[in-house]
Amino acid sequence: MSRRGRPAFQPTDEMRRTVERLAACGVPQDDIGRVLVPGGVVKHTLIKYFREELDTGAIRANALVASSLFNKAKSGDT
């Protein structure tokens, strides 16, 4: 008997980077799911497979900006 329905979702490293970048920009999770793969993924699947990227995307982006601003300030570029 063959299985029916969609094949199991398999996240890639590229998808993980995309989710992290979009989360860092403040894109809502529903929208991230819509653009991640053709046909989209539901929010539940997005959270299940990309929890870390969703949680840390904005933190990493803020840290990068803060670091850049701090380095500019240290060099006298205010």
Side-chain angles (χ1 to χ4, degrees), residues 64-78:
L64 184 61
V65 170
S67 176
S68 295
L69 291 173
F70 181 71
N71 288 331
K72 282 183 169 272
K74 284 192 332 185
S75 69
D77 184 7
T78 56

Side-chain angles (χ1 to χ4, degrees), residues 1-64:
M1 198 165 171
S2 66
R3 294 184 68 189
R4 291 187 172 184
R6 285 188 180 194
F9 183 77
Q10 294 293 320
T12 65
D13 289 340
E14 182 179 352
M15 287 178 189
R16 292 190 186 287
R17 287 188 297 273
T18 298
V19 169
E20 186 174 70
R21 280 193 304 267
L22 292 173
C25 294
V27 175
Q29 291 178 1
D30 288 332
D31 293 342
I32 294 172
R34 281 191 199 106
V35 300
L36 188 59
V37 295
V41 295
V42 296
K43 189 174 178 178
H44 171 78
T45 300
L46 187 71
I47 292 169
K48 178 179 178 180
Y49 290 99
F50 300 99
R51 178 81 268 163
E52 181 72 15
E53 292 80 4
L54 293 168
D55 288 346
T56 62
I59 296 167
R60 291 176 193 268
N62 287 335
L64 184 61

